[in-house]
Each structure stands twice: as C-alpha cells, then as structure tokens.
Amino acid sequence: MSTKIIYTAIILRPEYQERLQKLAPAYEFRHPENPLSEVELSQVEIMLGWDPEVGNQILALENHSLKWIQANSAGVDYLDLTELRKQGILLSNMSGIHAIPIAESVLAMLLARYRGIQASIRSQEKNEWLAFEHVPYDELNGKKMLIIGPGKIGQRLALIVQGLGVNVSGMSRSGRQLEHFDVGYSQETLQHYLGDFDIIVNILPLTNETHHYYNETFFNQVKPGASFINVGRGPSVDTNALIRALESQQLSFAGLDVFEEEPLADDSPLWQMENVLITPHISGLVRHFQKLVSEIYSENLKSYLATQDLARNQVDLTSGY
C-alpha cells in the first residue's frame, strides 16, 4: 500500500506537530525542510497551509492524491479556485483568527486620523511642536461607519466602535441584519445611501466581482470628506481612482494596509500624501499564530478523517469565500 502524506507548509512547533500526528497515525507528515520526491508528491493527500511550489507541482500531476487544502489565511484569492473545483479538492481557510488584530488596526488608523496622532508623529520627526490650532482633530463619537464585508472581522470591529458611539451599518450580498450593526444593506440598495457615511471600511474578499469595486464611480458617490480604510484586499481598489479622490479631497483620509501591488512602489504618490496612513500589510498579524492555526488544523483533520468533510471554514469554490 502506498504511503499517505500530510504536507505542512509551515514548520510547526513540536507540541502542535505531535498533536496532529496522534490524530492521523496512518499518515506520514512532511514539511519544507524535508523535501518530497516526485513519487511522494503524488502521495500527498492533505496540505496544511499552502506552499505554492509544492502545491502547483501536485496539481499539475496527471494522477495525484490531493483531496484537501487548508489555507493559512482568510483570503484564498491566490489559489486557482476553478482548478480546485474541477479536481474536486476541498478548501478551507483561517476565517476568524484575524478578527481581533484587524479590528484593532482599523481603530488605530481612525484614532490616528481623528485625534491628531498622525500629524503629531510627523511633527515629532521634525522636532517641531505642533500648535493645537494646526492639529487636525475630530471625534469618532457620532460618526456613521459603513463596513463593506461584515463577516467575522467586520462584526468584531462593529462591536468595538459601537462602544465609542459610532453608528455602524454593514453591506453584504443579502443585506442581512447582523449583531452589532444598526442597519444592513444589500449591494443593490447601498448606492442610494453611500453618501450618508463618514467612514467606509473595506473588508471584502477578492473575487472577480470585487476587483476594482472601489473605483471612480464609487468614490464620487461617497460623502465629500469621508474617510476610507482598506484592510481587505488591495486589488479591490482602483489605485488611480483612489489617488484622484484623495487629491480632490472627495476623500479626506485613507488608511491603507493592502495595495494592488505589494510592496507599494517607492514612487507611488500615496507615500507623500499627508491624508494617507500606510501600513505594510500587517493588520492581520496574529499573536500565537501557530496555536490558533493548529486548533483549526486539528478540528478539520478530525472531521476529514471521520467523514471526508470539514467541520470549519470550508470555502465555497464558486463564490470564493
């Protein structure tokens, strides 16, 4: 009988590796420091985390054993979902583990903008005391926020900012009402209300439908002087349209953690704009990442071995999330 292999794309700490091996004693575990031969590539049944070099080699084989990929991220737009669907491969993600850090990152961006923190940092770098009349300041209390993509991250953010007196609405495909949201809009109805919001936060996954969702038409419909935060996916925003909206003050502020091309080019106008706050794709960094990842690995591995199905975070390969 041929060897059955589980390939882990990250090297887990011993205690987490041992937990998985106890759950699947019939499988051989391999990782990047223990390379696979051509024959062994065809024997990989499960990939915990996505290693593009190994994964693409497996998918290109005429006969392989791959049945399930567990991504280490919430977004899975870097995978060929059409090919996975064609080959009948299960896919799951890490949805949920990034909710707290990303929500806190959005709050940090907004406080930097509304409480004069960003301007103060710039003055400190120049050894300048910024007189209060030159400090751009406002309050989050009473602002109206729209979260586009109100999943687990959006729900956590809504919970936090509601406590600060922010009125929170969400936009989803269905317009369903969710806990911590005052109002839920569908994509069709939102265009009639887009001009009502002081703050717009993008947490959409990247799909064919959401590519350049935030374009010139969108930005022209928002409330003049609104703030825009992007912690979703870079290509959902038309960068040139965003720059024009910032230059014209149609948007008064943008907090950007993700970009169409990463790293952001050093000649991008965004670097020099005083109404832009840039972070280098760090909003989703998670403390105790391996612990959280291994919990989802273990739960889904148990389910897969028992039923050939997944208990948590299975991705719809048609919708992309």
Side-chain angles (χ1 to χ4, degrees):
M1 192 171 83
S2 64
T3 303
K4 298 191 294 184
I5 295 175
I6 295 176
Y7 182 85
T8 57
I10 58 175
I11 299 171
L12 293 166
R13 291 202 287 273
E15 62 265 34
Y16 303 134
Q17 185 70 42
E18 289 168 11
R19 180 194 301 176
L20 295 176
Q21 289 174 329
K22 285 179 181 178
L23 291 174
Y27 288 77
E28 180 180 337
F29 282 77
R30 303 292 289 274
H31 54 70
E33 290 188 351
N34 189 4
L36 298 163
S37 69
E38 188 170 339
V39 171
E40 290 169 331
L41 284 169
S42 68
Q43 297 171 338
V44 174
E45 184 177 330
I46 300 167
M47 284 192 71
L48 300 178
W50 175 248
D51 180 326
E53 183 177 351
V54 172
N56 288 327
Q57 287 182 68
I58 292 172
L59 292 175
L61 294 174
E62 187 173 341
N63 294 300
H64 64 71
S65 305
L66 187 61
K67 295 180 181 177
W68 165 38
I69 298 168
Q70 169 68 63
N72 280 344
S73 56
V76 292
D77 49 273
Y78 52 86
L79 288 160
D80 187 342
L81 303 189
T82 301
E83 186 62 26
L84 297 186
R85 186 169 68 247
K86 178 182 171 184
Q87 296 196 29
I89 296 171
L90 296 170
L91 175 64
S92 49
N93 65 15
M94 285 293 160
S95 177
I97 73 168
H98 304 285
I100 290 174
I102 292 181
E104 290 182 354
S105 292
V106 173
L107 181 59
M109 286 179 170
L110 291 172
L111 290 174
R113 182 258 187 272
Y114 283 104
R115 298 310 308 152
I117 306 299
Q118 186 184 22
S120 299
I121 290 172
R122 288 200 176 104
S123 294
Q124 181 179 349
E125 290 173 345
K126 301 173 186 176
N127 293 0
E128 292 179 356
W129 181 270
L130 193 62
F132 74 87
E133 60 266 24
H134 300 304
V135 176
Y137 66 91
D138 202 338
E139 296 174 0
L140 282 172
N141 181 56
K143 293 290 185 289
K144 295 183 71 173
M145 174 185 288
L146 173 68
I147 298 174
I148 301 183
K152 294 174 183 176
I153 297 168
Q155 290 174 54
R156 181 72 187 190
L157 176 60
L159 171 64
I160 292 172
V161 298
Q162 269 197 339
L164 297 174
V166 177
N167 298 303
V168 189
S169 298
M171 188 220 82
S172 62
R173 274 185 168 183
S174 64
R176 67 192 187 280
Q177 301 301 308
L178 295 168
E179 189 178 9
H180 311 306
F181 287 84
D182 299 301
V183 182
Y185 295 99
S186 68
Q187 190 169 337
E188 290 72 27
T189 60
L190 176 62
Q191 60 181 329
H192 302 296
Y193 303 97
L194 198 51
D196 293 345
F197 299 100
D198 305 293
I199 302 163
I200 297 168
V201 181
N202 172 48
I203 320 180
L204 283 173
L206 183 62
T207 65
N208 290 335
E209 293 178 355
T210 63
H211 182 268
H212 279 195
Y213 179 83
Y214 303 95
N215 53 27
E216 191 148 13
T217 299
F218 181 94
F219 291 128
N220 285 341
Q221 292 177 323
V222 305
K223 181 178 181 179
S227 294
F228 176 72
I229 307 291
N230 189 12
V231 289
R233 283 291 183 261
S236 62
V237 177
D238 180 338
T239 304
N240 291 330
L242 173 64
I243 290 170
R244 288 192 292 270
L246 288 162
E247 287 174 337
S248 69
Q249 289 294 308
Q250 176 67 7
L251 293 175
S252 65
F253 173 78
L256 308 173
D257 185 59
V258 291
F259 304 87
E260 281 197 87
E261 293 184 8
E262 295 183 4
L264 182 64
D266 57 12
D267 61 352
S268 170
L270 292 169
W271 288 112
Q272 305 303 323
M273 290 184 164
E274 291 196 359
N275 55 346
V276 174
L277 175 57
I278 290 171
T279 54
H281 204 147
I282 59 171
S283 68
L285 294 181
V286 181
R287 191 164 58 100
H288 304 310
F289 177 74
Q290 285 211 5
K291 177 178 182 294
L292 297 173
V293 162
S294 68
E295 287 172 358
I296 295 180
Y297 281 177
S298 298
E299 189 175 346
N300 274 343
L301 183 56
K302 281 183 194 175
S303 177
Y304 172 84
L305 294 175
T307 68
Q308 295 288 291
D309 208 348
L310 304 176
R312 187 171 173 185
N313 291 353
Q314 183 167 338
V315 175
D316 183 323
L317 295 176
T318 300
S319 67
Y321 54 87

